[in-house]
Amino acid sequence: MTVDPTAAAPTPEHCVTALLDAYVLGECTSAAADAIETHLGRCVSCSVDAAQLALTVPPPAWSTVGPPAAPTADMDLTPGGPGSLEAVLAAALAVRPAAPGTPATGSTAPAQAGPARPRGPRTPTHGSRAAALDRLLVELAPAHWGRLAVAGWSVRELVLHLYAVDGLLLAALDGAGSDAGADSDAPGDLGRPDEDPVARTEAVLAATREWSVEQVRLRWFERAGLVCAAVADATRASGPSVVTAGGWTTTPADHLTARAFETWIHTRDIAAAAGLAVPDPGEGELHTMADLALRLLVDPWTAAVETAGPAALTVTLTGPGGGTWSLDPSGVHEWQGDAGLVESGPAEGPARTTGPASGPLTASAITVGAVTVGAVTVGIVPFCLLAGDRATVDAVATRMEGDERLAVELLTLAPSLAGP
Amino acid sequence: MPTVHGQDGAAPVARRPSAAGTGGGAPPPTPAAGRQPHSRREVVELHGRLVAGDPTALAVVHERYARYLLAVAARVTGDADAARDVLQEVLVAFWQHPLRFDPDRGELRTWLAVLAHRRAVDWVRREIARRPTDLVARALAEQSDGPAADRDFLEREDADAVRAAVAALPVKLREVVELAYFRELTYREVAIRLAIPEGTAKSRMRAALSALALTLTRLGAAP
């Protein structure tokens, strides 16, 4: 028996109990098997049923000719041989490269399951978010690409929007002398660094109408990798401390974090349009994104609250990648344990200790001397989604102390960071 | 039944299927003793890194699950080399399509095991499709170029089935088999006798063997 995928139509949402026999016995078409495996990866009940079947039902075909000869070799995995770590990694990286910007390593020893670096805003993250979106795009059906994602753009157009904005940063870095900025496109295809991102996106959409969705995916991913390389090159070469792209002047590292942030947000948009799920960024990435958001917010927040005099707000972001920051008119500082309050900043800037090591401010009172104080606690993912304009203040659970107005101003301002 | 012990003293697992197949009394593979499965949070974190293109996450998956998956595959295939290939295929597929697994709704070890099992079954099916052709070809080809035919093949208890299958071959294929096998001629001698190039004799023999294998498989009499 062969299962016809069009007749069986297994979907991620519906259990496939009736198809498990055929699947376990290898009597499905490969398309049906892929669909069933996708469902099994999302359904404990069906995967357990399949496992039980697998353990109890023999492959009947052996009864035709009898089983093969017993293995004479032992079951060890010879280093470098089939199934060994080295062979698996080599085969895996041949079909899907590591995330752009992943440092090459000669070691094949697995890293610990837990995070290697629990905190710190020092790692640009765009490569990881590009890799995650790339895997999402690989899973999309042709029909998904035409679905409306956000801002009136389809999934296809949204990916090209990312491609366009990555191009602006690439053009800025290229103009600043980065060798890695050279793209396979003609130079004009990158756009001008000072070009408006939306206008640039419209130009890209007009120029890429003939691209297949696979071309869109490959060209976008290639450019994301070039952006990572260009920033790394600019950093290594002690290049310009700041560049202007898309009307925003900041360090290359901050630009890269912003690209990661936007890529993540739009990955969520695309996943929602396709009815799929994508993991959130790792804790180091989230920390970096949240740190950037707070640094961008501190000036408008200060302007909004200083009419009533000097103010200070302690922001505690909870969850993996979280931390405690202090916002006041002098800027943003992060509480880093024994190091005390450290000025927050992008990757290449040396950290500067600026505060006492006695602990983050608490805000049980509304004022400390002449300074109005407040504190807010919020999950780091909801905070980032708020800053990405994918959550509302009302929907984000917070705990406020001291002068709540200070926290409300910050949270209300957060979505203003988001662009299209 | 021969068994093999996994690393870390894992429970014995079936090395090969029983005569009646692979089911029955073979104990199911179990994870390596002394290792706790990843907690859900660990799996979520590991999966996130895999999606994000971190090869060290794949290395962790290999370290944690390779032995188990190898045992699952070996139980079906009865072949250590095939089991290693299956293991590699499963982990590469996970790296290539990590979003087909959702740690919030799935169970990683079970899912990987099911994938390994199905790929092992696929290997068995391919092997079965290949084996009759190979074995018949080997049995006959060894005779066709040799100085004297070994008639063991026809003296098997299912020799009648083989003779019937040969008789059912088209004439041009049958005569090559009869000359090479029953009259113990080499390819060169067959070519001279039939006034055809030696290459043609070989290609007719290959076609005949494929047809024989198919027929014998259908009859349940393949070697």
Side-chain angles (χ1 to χ4, degrees):
Chain A
M1 178 182 71
T2 296
V3 175
D4 176 0
T6 57
T11 67
E13 293 78 22
H14 298 98
C15 285
V16 294
T17 310
L19 304 175
L20 290 181
D21 282 347
Y23 169 80
V24 166
L25 294 172
E27 293 175 343
C28 294
T29 63
S30 61
D34 282 351
I36 291 170
E37 286 179 358
T38 300
H39 175 80
L40 296 179
R42 298 165 186 169
C43 178
V44 171
S45 172
C46 281
S47 65
V48 168
D49 285 350
Q52 288 174 342
L53 276 173
L55 292 173
T56 55
V57 178
W62 276 137
S63 62
T64 303
V65 296
T72 55
D74 61 25
M75 293 293 288
D76 285 341
L77 291 171
T78 307
S84 67
L85 175 60
E86 296 84 353
V88 167
L89 285 174
L93 293 173
V95 297
R96 177 199 174 196
T102 300
T105 173
S107 171
T108 54
Q112 295 300 310
R117 51 181 307 282
R119 55 158 307 283
R122 308 298 178 197
T123 306
T125 56
H126 189 35
S128 297
R129 288 311 95 207
L133 175 54
D134 179 58
R135 287 306 96 183
L136 173 62
L137 298 179
V138 163
E139 298 301 331
L140 296 187
H144 289 145
W145 286 84
R147 289 191 185 172
L148 196 62
V150 72
W153 285 327
S154 67
V155 168
R156 181 183 188 279
E157 290 167 337
L158 193 52
V159 176
L160 285 168
H161 166 65
L162 294 172
Y163 173 83
V165 183
D166 277 353
L168 295 180
L169 178 55
L170 205 52
L173 292 165
D174 197 29
S178 166
D179 291 336
D183 197 349
S184 55
D185 289 329
D189 288 342
L190 296 175
R192 301 184 317 277
D194 59 347
E195 198 169 351
D196 174 69
V198 174
R200 181 62 203 153
T201 299
E202 295 301 329
V204 166
L205 293 180
T208 57
R209 287 197 182 96
E210 302 302 317
W211 286 10
S212 67
V213 292
E214 183 64 1
Q215 281 179 296
V216 169
R217 181 181 74 84
L218 292 174
R219 296 299 294 271
W220 157 77
F221 188 68
E222 177 191 32
R223 180 169 285 183
L226 289 170
V227 169
C228 293
V231 170
D233 184 60
T235 304
R236 275 197 304 270
S238 300
S241 56
V242 295
V243 293
T244 299
W248 181 37
T249 301
T250 188
T251 63
D254 274 352
H255 272 297
L256 199 65
T257 298
R259 299 305 310 129
F261 205 150
E262 182 177 2
T263 301
W264 170 43
I265 293 297
H266 288 328
T267 297
R268 290 176 57 96
D269 295 335
I270 293 169
L276 299 172
V278 178
D280 287 329
E283 56 188 87
E285 298 175 80
L286 286 170
H287 192 100
T288 305
M289 294 175 187
D291 182 81
L292 174 62
L294 289 170
R295 284 188 285 116
L296 292 174
L297 285 168
V298 68
D299 285 346
W301 173 81
T302 300
V305 300
E306 71 181 357
T307 53
L313 177 66
T314 298
V315 179
T316 300
L317 302 181
T318 59
T324 299
W325 286 261
S326 177
L327 277 66
D328 60 43
S330 69
V332 180
H333 305 83
E334 185 186 358
W335 172 253
Q336 294 187 358
D338 293 341
L341 282 174
V342 175
E343 184 176 9
S344 200
E348 63 267 35
R352 184 164 61 90
T353 302
T354 60
S358 56
L361 291 173
T362 57
S364 55
I366 291 178
T367 59
V368 175
V371 178
T372 305
V373 297
V376 60
T377 301
V378 58
I380 191 167
V381 170
F383 175 77
C384 287
L385 293 179
L386 192 62
D389 200 17
R390 295 302 185 272
T392 62
V393 177
D394 293 340
V396 172
T398 59
R399 184 166 58 85
M400 300 183 194
E401 297 173 86
D403 188 342
E404 294 188 359
R405 181 180 58 91
L406 303 182
V408 171
E409 283 289 355
L410 180 77
L411 299 177
T412 304
L413 282 167
S416 65
L417 297 179
Chain B
M1 174 179 294
T3 59
V4 59
H5 289 261
Q7 194 182 42
D8 306 328
V13 296
R15 171 171 270 185
R16 54 173 293 176
S18 66
T22 61
T30 59
R35 284 188 178 173
Q36 295 300 314
H38 280 130
S39 69
R40 186 181 163 281
R41 184 183 170 185
E42 285 174 327
V43 171
V44 167
E45 192 270 340
L46 194 59
H47 180 251
R49 286 167 51 202
L50 209 70
V51 172
D54 180 355
T56 64
L58 183 61
V60 172
V61 174
H62 183 280
E63 181 186 49
R64 185 61 67 102
Y65 298 106
R67 290 280 164 196
Y68 177 55
L69 298 177
L70 200 60
V72 169
R75 180 174 181 268
V76 176
T77 64
D79 184 295
D81 288 337
R84 294 186 187 100
D85 288 343
V86 166
L87 162 66
Q88 184 161 318
E89 193 179 340
V90 168
L91 295 186
V92 170
F94 188 27
W95 169 256
Q96 195 170 12
H97 296 285
L99 292 177
R100 293 185 181 177
F101 173 74
D102 181 348
D104 290 330
R105 294 189 284 172
E107 206 285 308
L108 181 58
R109 189 173 65 87
T110 303
W111 183 68
L112 291 173
V114 171
L115 263 58
H117 180 274
R118 189 183 76 81
R119 282 156 179 75
V121 169
D122 284 347
W123 180 88
V124 170
R125 289 183 171 278
R126 289 195 301 270
E127 182 71 4
I128 287 168
R130 184 183 66 79
R131 285 184 73 211
T133 304
D134 277 4
L135 295 181
V136 172
R138 201 176 304 129
L140 294 181
E142 283 173 357
Q143 313 310 323
S144 58
D145 284 328
D150 180 348
R151 301 186 66 81
D152 286 351
F153 185 63
L154 286 183
E155 290 167 3
R156 292 167 33 149
E157 60 185 21
D158 54 2
D160 287 345
V162 177
R163 290 180 185 278
V166 171
L169 289 171
V171 174
K172 286 187 177 178
L173 302 185
R174 188 177 69 233
E175 62 189 8
V176 174
V177 174
E178 288 174 336
L179 290 171
Y181 199 80
F182 297 106
R183 301 195 182 187
E184 305 177 9
L185 302 185
T186 66
Y187 279 129
R188 182 180 299 276
E189 292 167 334
V190 169
I192 293 171
R193 178 72 65 90
L194 297 178
I196 58 176
E198 188 173 342
T200 302
K202 290 182 177 177
S203 64
R204 287 185 185 178
M205 179 64 85
R206 282 196 295 273
L209 296 177
S210 295
L212 275 177
L214 188 61
T215 302
L216 293 174
T217 299
R218 284 175 181 158
L219 294 173

